[in-house]
Amino acid sequence: MKTLPLNLHPDRVPRHVAVIMDGNGRWAKKFGWQRTRGHRAGADAVSRCVEACDDIGTEFLTLYAFSTENWRRPKTEIEALMRLLDKFLKERTPEMMDKNVRLQAIGRITDLPANVQERLHQSIETTGKNTGVTMVLALSYGGREEIVDGIRSIVRNLREGHLDEAMITPEMFGKHLYTRYYPDPDLLIRTSGEMRLSNFLLWQCSYAEIVVMEKLWPDFQKEDLYKAVQEYQKRHRRFGGL
Ligand code: FPP
């Protein structure tokens, strides 16, 4: 069996890691730069994080790249983020192919500008058969919105007679969420020291271990992912049992 960095336990690696990538703006401000420059540096940190997941055998990485609340930011910042996303997908899809990364997306994707949607679908299609890390980008994503969309889907199915009330269980509800193809996150990482979920994967993180680090997202290194996993491996997950 291969030795993992920091001597991590190979049989207790989180299968799914979710990340709230916070602090791009503050990072840029520290140097007197525009916030957009922080987002650009944040995109480089994304690549490092995927690589680190690949190194240790984490299968799924979900990244909070744009929340439903982010639409309230100034138009210029939203436009810059959308341009960056477009550029990221264009330039990094070949890298994803090299590294066997499969791209997926969750959220209200149809809210995104048409060119970004197009680019996203292309990258998802191109990387669709890759068998390495699955990188899920949460875009125009909100946990409450996802739950509401799930309820709508269930109501539709009830009305059409495909379901009856007794069939509604937590497991079944999970099948009506955007994340129905992925296991629940085992580990949730948030950078920049904030202790909040910020409407991210509210249903799915019920039993996730949470690791908050002070570092701002653009400073995130592969070592930080290993350290978060090390912390995770020290925890005793009981899922409500003893
Ligand atoms: C939080 O920092 C980050 C975001 C709102 C966007 C996340 C985007 C990236 C990491 C870069 C692009 C990613 C991809 C996949 C292309 P903030 O702006 O809230 O920082 P602040 O709290 O310091 O203001």
Side-chain angles (χ1 to χ4, degrees), residues 21-27 35 38-43 46 63-67 70 73 77 81 84-85 88 137 139 192 194 216-217:
M21 312 181 285
D22 196 14
N24 294 347
R26 273 165 285 170
W27 180 86
R35 295 175 54 80
H39 295 314
R40 281 211 302 276
V46 167
L63 300 168
Y64 206 6
F66 195 87
S67 71
N70 287 153
R73 293 198 175 188
E77 183 167 341
L81 273 166
L84 178 63
L85 186 57
F88 176 88
L137 293 184
L139 293 165
S192 97
E194 307 285 351
L216 305 175
W217 178 250

Side-chain angles (χ1 to χ4, degrees), residues 223-239:
E223 194 81 3
D224 294 310
L225 191 277
Y226 308 147
K227 281 191 200 146
V229 171
Q230 193 172 46
E231 168 69 29
Y232 164 86
Q233 292 193 338
K234 285 188 204 144
R235 310 251 181 108
H236 177 197
R237 301 183 81 198
R238 294 194 299 276
F239 298 96

Side-chain angles (χ1 to χ4, degrees), residues 49 63 94 116-117 138 146 152-153 180 214 234 238 241:
C49 190
L63 300 168
V116 175
Q117 287 187 49
E146 178 181 30
R152 287 194 180 130
S153 156
R180 57 187 166 278
E214 289 301 321
K234 285 188 204 144
R238 294 194 299 276

Side-chain angles (χ1 to χ4, degrees), residues 17-235:
V17 173
V19 187
I20 302 178
M21 312 181 285
D22 196 14
N24 294 347
R26 273 165 285 170
W27 180 86
K29 205 170 160 203
K30 269 197 327 188
F31 302 100
W33 296 333
Q34 298 216 329
R35 295 175 54 80
T36 320
R37 188 145 171 197
H39 295 314
R40 281 211 302 276
D44 294 332
V46 167
S47 298
R48 295 194 289 273
C49 190
V50 185
E51 263 181 42
C53 285
D54 187 41
D55 292 344
I56 62 168
T58 286
E59 294 168 62
F60 298 88
L61 172 68
T62 300
L63 300 168
Y64 206 6
F66 195 87
S67 71
T68 43
E69 289 77 13
N70 287 153
W71 292 114
R72 291 192 216 126
R73 293 198 175 188
K75 192 162 167 262
T76 48
E77 183 167 341
I78 294 174
E79 283 171 356
L81 273 166
M82 292 301 145
R83 271 199 305 277
L84 178 63
L85 186 57
D86 188 56
K87 188 164 174 270
F88 176 88
L89 294 168
K90 182 172 166 219
E91 289 175 0
R92 314 253 171 142
T93 301
E95 189 182 304
M96 291 181 220
M97 294 308 288
D98 276 354
K99 295 187 175 146
N100 198 19
V101 173
R102 180 172 73 121
L103 180 73
Q104 299 271 283
I106 54 171
R108 291 186 172 164
I109 304 302
T110 51
D111 290 349
L112 302 172
N115 66 311
V116 175
Q117 287 187 49
E118 168 92 353
R119 185 82 76 192
L120 190 60
H121 290 312
Q122 271 172 14
S123 297
I124 289 173
E125 166 94 35
T126 307
T127 61
K129 291 204 166 63
N130 289 346
T131 55
V133 179
T134 296
M135 170 168 67
V136 185
L137 293 184
L139 293 165
S140 193
Y141 175 87
R144 289 183 169 183
E145 288 73 6
E146 178 181 30
I147 291 169
V148 167
D149 285 349
I151 292 170
R152 287 194 180 130
S153 156
I154 288 187
V155 169
R156 239 183 348 261
N157 277 278
L158 279 172
R159 278 220 192 99
E160 290 166 7
H162 306 309
L163 269 184
D164 68 58
E165 200 183 319
M167 292 160 79
I168 305 175
T169 61
E171 290 69 33
M172 179 270 190
F173 186 65
K175 301 267 180 289
H176 290 261
L177 297 174
Y178 310 148
T179 50
R180 57 187 166 278
Y181 308 112
Y182 324 121
D184 284 345
D186 304 291
L187 168 63
L188 171 69
I189 299 173
R190 180 165 190 154
T191 56
S192 97
E194 307 285 351
M195 305 274 190
R196 280 190 299 278
L197 283 180
S198 297
N199 205 14
F200 187 45
L201 300 175
L202 297 180
W203 176 274
Q204 299 84 343
C205 282
S206 293
Y207 294 104
E209 292 297 328
I210 303 179
V211 171
V212 173
M213 55 183 74
E214 289 301 321
K215 260 196 184 177
L216 305 175
W217 178 250
D219 289 327
F220 189 92
Q221 304 298 328
K222 287 169 72 169
E223 194 81 3
D224 294 310
L225 191 277
Y226 308 147
K227 281 191 200 146
V229 171
Q230 193 172 46
E231 168 69 29
Y232 164 86
Q233 292 193 338
K234 285 188 204 144
R235 310 251 181 108

